[in-house]
Amino acid sequence: MAEYNLVSECVGLITLRNPPVNALSAAVRQGIVDTVQRALSDPNVKSVVICGQNGIFCGGADIKEFGSNMTGPPLIPMIHAIESANKPVVAAIEGSALGGGLELALGCHYRIAHSKARLGLPEVTLGLLPAAGGSQRLPRLIGVPAALNLITTGRHVTAAEALQLGIVDQVTDHNTVDAAVKFALSVAGRSLGPRRISAHPCPQQPDLDALFEEVMQKVRQSARGAIAPIACVQAVRAAATLPYAQGMERERELMATLFTSGQARALQYCFFAERAVGRWRMPSGARWDTSKPRPLHKAAVIGLGIMGRGITVALAQTGLSVIAVETQEKQLMEAKQAISGMLERGAKRRGVAPALDRVIYSQNIQAVADVDLVIEAVFEDIALKTKVFQQLSAVCKPGTLLCTNTSALDVDQLASETPNPELVVGMHFFAPAHVMKLLEVVYGPRSSPQAVATAMQLGKKMGKASVAVGNCRGFVGNRMLKPYIEEAFFLLEEGATPELVDQALEEFGFAMGVFRMSDLSGLDVGWRIRKGDGLVEPSTASGRSTRIRQGRRYSPLGDLLCEEGRFGQKTGRGWYQYDKPGSRVARSDPWLHSFLGAYRAQHGLVARRIDHQEVLERCLYALINEGFHILDDGIAAGPEDIDVIYVSGYGWPRHRGGPMFYANMVGLAKVLERLEHYQQLHPEVPHLQPSSLLRRLVASGSPPIHKWGEAIKKLHSQL
Ligand SMILES: C[C@H](O)[C@H](C)C(=O)SCCNC(=O)CCNC(=O)[C@H](O)C(C)(C)COP(=O)([O-])OP(=O)([O-])OC[C@H]1O[C@@H](n2cnc3c(N)ncnc32)[C@H](O)[C@@H]1OP(=O)([O-])[O-]
């Protein structure tokens, strides 16, 4: 809907009305066509202002309409009508002007933005490109390099940067609509030819071919198989090399290749999934809109190792004052330096003053007596964490929320060490904690809805993708990672190499394959956990280590490498070799290949040819199958929770939607059939046994992902 008013006697004011972001739905588009027509045909009107209600200009095309037949007036002629108008049209930009919203503003003759506004063409993040003239008008307005950067990254720019780039004509700290109306009055009657961007020639670039070649190479590399960024470069190239009308035709052709693509559906699914996980529910029925978070003024972090330092920075950047506790003096001093450095760098990036005084350091746990929330981040040892929780229960004021950053230990066991288990939740951060987007908020059977609500709200304030999950071994992310890693080990036993497995996964879209990732995080981390589980056995006299443990197939390959001191990057040797300890460039290691050969010979294993398809099926379907178990256990509220966890914390390629969405795309029957196939070949591998939920979904005709709810009685999915 678009509302029309005559203001200041001769300015037609058009207000977009479609809460919450004034998306350009069919009704809004019709409203704009009608109101622009009305303004242009009203002789009293000398100029026009377009604005959005509720302090937001326009969030772009209505993404919810993409899945259905589009009705209503198309965007391109609507914007052309504005650009070719014979009266000046001024866009009053508050809040956001994104995608079709910015394209609408680029069709206007002038743009006035509030200093807090954000502008951008983020279509590439939805698997699309700016298809309402944005890929043709923006390069003409701000030049090819700047337009290429905005369109291929989809990043939002501040009003200040938009002014500097030439996207907007004026920035105001005051009422934007008033400023726009005043501006519109001042330009009434001026010639509009020079203000029609589509008529501008595209600023020529010296050596245009070289520029596009360089950008295309960079984009192909970072895209990791995503097709939209490539199409974005091709669309801007059309703007730089073709007349406007032909460029628009090229934009339309390229958009047609993207609009119905699986990648676009995956990326738009991620967009809505990231918003759905904020509307969390617990098996008890407690939910986001019935549980009031507790106000937080002061927080504390116990243990200032790598994780504790990152968590302290993330907390301080929300505006909270933080007590950072580390009992070891040397560790405390080093932490203080590291944290100050991270705060300064973060502040510089955000153009704000570093909040160094917001963090108070102490060696004494007594210092946290009056905080509202504590996050414990000490070494991953149950005995040590138990002691800390007992100390906190004695020191903290009544009602203080006690959170643990454990990545695998039992949150409810820690809760039972305190007089108020309802105040205990897990807040599982990912390294580096002030950078990584994902936060698993882990509730135990006794965690109160208020504790979960408070942790989820704090996660949102920290800019995290916060997902509420139930307490179980490895929670969601690490629990699914286990079968994925085990399958990778088994593939090595059967003839694969780390290079082959990693290449298959990286071509699929992962930033890093499982073995390069293992070298980065350190092989000793998993070794310590396997030791804790009683899985690691000393090599037998014959040097042959058993490959069945606790009744199932087990590959000791990782243990054997650790026994050799090969912990990965940190020791310069792991599944790959590195120039020196700490360097990051992985190179094939002949030692590792001969070690694998010897290992197979020792165990009477005959290497066979393994292709990328098998690597993907075994590693990804094992992980997905565990996802179905997690849904059936009610540990994750819905497939979107699992997918947001994997996309924002485990490097699952966003243009593949996430493990559960991918399974839906591949076809549940296919996933089931392949799991059954591999389970027959490897009966001693329980995680290949298809989950009963997967069987139920296939038996009920493989319903689309948003309908999985019915099959999972416990599910409280929202899609
Ligand atoms: C032709 C043209 O070239 C092409 C093809 C296009 O134009 S493609 C479209 C391009 N536009 C975008 O990529 C911008 C997408 N939106 C955003 O980035 C953000 O929303 C925001 C504008 C910066 C506000 O952030 P927020 O944090 O204040 O609120 P929110 O929680 O995010 O959103 C609040 C609610 O609004 C919903 N919503 C937001 N933008 C929407 C959109 N464009 N269409 C439909 N719904 C939208 C969202 O799902 C949520 O719903 P619910 O969960 O409450 O039910």
Side-chain angles (χ1 to χ4, degrees):
M1 298 53 76
E3 182 188 282
Y4 182 81
N5 292 293
L6 186 65
V7 296
S8 303
E9 291 161 16
C10 64
V11 175
L13 177 62
I14 297 172
T15 306
L16 310 186
R17 291 188 176 286
N18 183 19
V21 299
N22 299 324
L24 296 166
S25 63
V28 171
R29 296 195 304 274
Q30 189 60 59
I32 295 172
V33 169
D34 299 344
T35 49
V36 167
Q37 189 47 45
R38 183 170 168 191
L40 298 182
S41 55
D42 179 345
N44 299 321
V45 171
K46 301 297 180 241
S47 44
V48 181
V49 169
I50 300 180
C51 68
Q53 74 170 44
N54 299 340
I56 183 167
F57 182 69
C58 176
D62 188 337
I63 308 168
K64 293 193 177 100
E65 287 185 349
F66 293 172
S68 56
N69 294 337
M70 304 282 274
T71 57
L75 267 175
I76 293 172
M78 178 192 89
I79 295 173
H80 270 310
I82 293 169
E83 188 182 55
S84 52
N86 56 4
K87 299 174 183 179
V89 182
V90 180
I93 299 172
E94 292 172 305
S96 303
L98 299 172
L102 180 55
E103 290 172 300
L104 169 64
L106 292 175
C108 298
H109 306 111
Y110 299 93
R111 287 154 292 281
I112 309 295
H114 187 273
S115 54
K116 290 202 170 68
R118 289 276 183 280
L119 302 86
L121 294 176
E123 284 85 346
V124 70
T125 65
L126 298 168
L128 307 171
L129 58 78
S135 74
Q136 303 306 303
R137 285 195 173 88
L138 192 67
R140 284 173 162 76
L141 184 63
I142 69 173
V144 169
L148 269 174
N149 172 270
L150 262 63
I151 293 174
T152 57
T153 61
R155 72 183 178 89
H156 301 180
V157 296
T158 61
E161 186 179 355
L163 183 67
Q164 183 248 325
L165 286 169
I167 299 175
V168 299
D169 303 287
Q170 209 178 78
V171 171
T172 176
D173 289 322
H174 309 297
N175 181 301
T176 317
V177 177
D178 293 351
V181 169
K182 190 159 159 255
F183 187 93
L185 287 166
S186 72
V187 294
R190 276 206 200 152
S191 128
L192 294 172
R195 304 302 305 182
R196 297 192 174 101
I197 300 172
S198 65
H200 294 190
C202 194
Q204 282 314 299
Q205 277 297 117
D207 216 346
L208 199 64
D209 290 344
L211 168 75
F212 275 102
E213 224 155 282
E214 187 203 334
V215 171
M216 186 61 98
Q217 203 189 354
K218 275 209 196 103
V219 162
R220 278 191 198 287
Q221 205 168 8
S222 59
R224 291 206 304 277
I227 56 177
I230 317 288
C232 285
V233 177
Q234 292 163 331
V236 176
R237 185 177 188 102
T241 56
L242 299 172
Y244 178 77
Q246 288 171 47
M248 284 300 288
E249 181 47 30
R250 184 78 179 117
E251 178 189 279
R252 190 195 60 71
E253 281 166 11
L254 289 163
M255 180 63 160
T257 64
L258 300 177
F259 196 71
T260 53
S261 69
Q263 292 194 4
R265 289 216 309 277
L267 288 158
Q268 288 152 33
Y269 164 84
C270 285
F271 177 85
F272 289 116
E274 274 160 356
R275 282 146 185 84
V277 294
R279 297 189 285 270
W280 54 271
R281 295 176 188 215
M282 294 162 71
S284 62
R287 26 181 300 142
W288 64 285
D289 51 357
T290 57
S291 314
K292 208 167 165 329
R294 172 170 303 182
L296 298 178
H297 307 293
K298 203 183 236 185
V301 178
I302 311 297
L304 299 181
I306 299 292
M307 293 307 291
R309 295 170 192 183
I311 296 169
T312 303
V313 170
L315 285 170
Q317 287 174 340
T318 65
L320 279 171
S321 50
V322 184
I323 310 286
V325 177
E326 171 55 59
T327 50
Q328 312 297 318
E329 185 176 357
K330 182 167 171 300
Q331 177 96 325
L332 181 68
M333 300 324 290
E334 287 169 3
K336 191 170 179 178
Q337 213 174 355
I339 291 168
S340 307
M342 287 190 267
L343 284 171
E344 277 154 1
R345 287 190 296 279
K348 195 150 171 263
R349 259 195 314 279
R350 287 175 298 130
V352 296
L356 301 182
D357 56 358
R358 229 177 263 142
V359 183
I360 295 160
Y361 300 89
S362 171
Q363 279 185 272
N364 188 340
I365 202 160
Q366 297 292 337
V368 307
D370 69 339
V371 302
D372 306 305
L373 176 141
V374 181
I375 302 180
E376 162 279 311
V378 300
F379 189 68
E380 190 77 339
D381 172 69
I382 190 70
L384 178 59
K385 287 184 187 288
T386 300
K387 187 166 142 250
V388 171
F389 268 70
Q390 289 164 344
Q391 289 174 322
L392 289 171
S393 303
V395 166
C396 291
K397 68 182 179 187
T400 300
L401 297 180
L402 303 182
C403 310
T404 171
N405 176 54
T406 179
S407 59
L409 299 174
D410 184 342
V411 172
D412 197 48
Q413 183 182 344
L414 286 171
S416 61
E417 299 295 340
T418 72
N420 303 96
E422 74 281 3
L423 298 175
V424 175
V425 289
M427 289 186 79
H428 180 207
F429 291 82
F430 292 75
H434 63 301
V435 177
M436 284 296 283
K437 200 113 172 65
L438 177 61
L439 174 69
E440 282 184 318
V441 172
V442 185
Y443 54 81
R446 294 175 286 178
S447 303
S448 68
Q450 188 179 48
V452 175
T454 309
M456 287 293 283
Q457 188 186 58
L458 178 57
K460 184 159 187 183
K461 256 198 183 156
M462 289 195 260
K464 302 288 183 198
S466 308
V467 184
V469 299
N471 178 40
C472 69
R473 186 131 180 78
F475 314 137
V476 170
N478 289 344
R479 178 175 160 181
M480 290 169 69
L481 201 64
K482 195 162 174 293
Y484 168 83
I485 293 173
E486 286 178 355
E487 277 304 312
F489 281 21
F490 296 157
L491 286 161
L492 292 189
E493 293 190 334
E494 295 162 35
T497 61
E499 293 83 351
L500 175 114
V501 173
D502 282 354
Q503 195 189 2
L505 294 168
E506 287 159 21
E507 282 175 9
F508 178 81
F510 281 95
M512 264 192 181
V514 60
F515 292 110
R516 283 203 311 131
M517 180 54 85
S518 171
D519 273 359
L520 173 68
S521 46
L523 279 73
D524 52 327
V525 178
W527 194 33
R528 211 177 22 252
I529 293 170
R530 292 191 297 275
K531 277 185 182 165
D533 294 344
L535 279 165
V536 176
E537 294 170 358
S539 307
T540 60
S542 69
R544 265 170 68 89
S545 42
T546 57
R547 295 180 43 246
I548 297 291
R549 299 190 190 176
Q550 297 176 358
R552 55 187 172 81
R553 180 176 172 182
Y554 178 84
S555 171
L557 282 171
D559 306 340
L560 295 171
L561 258 64
C562 287
E563 282 168 19
E564 300 283 332
R566 298 177 70 100
F567 296 163
Q569 288 184 3
K570 63 178 114 182
T571 58
R573 293 271 181 285
W575 298 105
Y576 295 89
Q577 59 179 332
Y578 301 81
D579 292 346
K580 59 183 184 337
S583 78
R584 295 174 173 273
V585 181
R587 285 185 295 109
S588 289
D589 188 340
W591 180 92
L592 197 274
H593 292 166
S594 51
F595 160 79
L596 285 176
Y599 172 91
R600 294 185 194 115
Q602 233 173 18
H603 289 87
L605 298 165
V606 180
R608 60 181 176 80
R609 188 182 162 285
I610 292 173
D611 62 15
H612 283 196
Q613 191 55 30
E614 178 173 355
V615 171
L616 293 180
E617 289 183 347
R618 286 178 61 177
C619 291
L620 304 184
Y621 294 174
L623 178 145
I624 287 165
N625 193 39
E626 193 60 33
F628 281 115
H629 285 301
I630 283 172
L631 289 174
D632 224 0
D633 297 350
I635 294 294
E640 65 276 20
D641 296 73
I642 293 178
D643 289 333
V644 169
I645 285 172
Y646 260 76
V647 166
S648 56
Y650 288 80
W652 183 282
R654 205 180 161 82
H655 62 269
R656 304 260 190 193
M660 309 323 281
F661 181 88
Y662 176 68
N664 190 56
M665 288 283 270
V666 168
L668 300 184
K670 166 94 185 290
V671 174
L672 176 59
E673 182 270 323
R674 298 312 290 164
L675 280 168
E676 286 171 335
H677 165 75
Y678 291 117
Q679 214 251 326
Q680 259 161 19
L681 291 174
H682 308 284
E684 73 292 6
V685 180
H687 66 234
L688 292 173
Q689 173 78 21
S691 109
S692 62
L693 170 61
L694 175 57
R695 289 188 188 286
R696 291 203 309 269
L697 285 167
V698 172
S700 60
S702 298
I705 194 165
H706 62 279
K707 288 233 163 56
W708 290 3
E710 292 108 34
I712 309 167
K713 307 227 169 356
K714 288 190 218 109
L715 180 71
H716 20 252
S717 168
Q718 299 157 55
L719 279 178

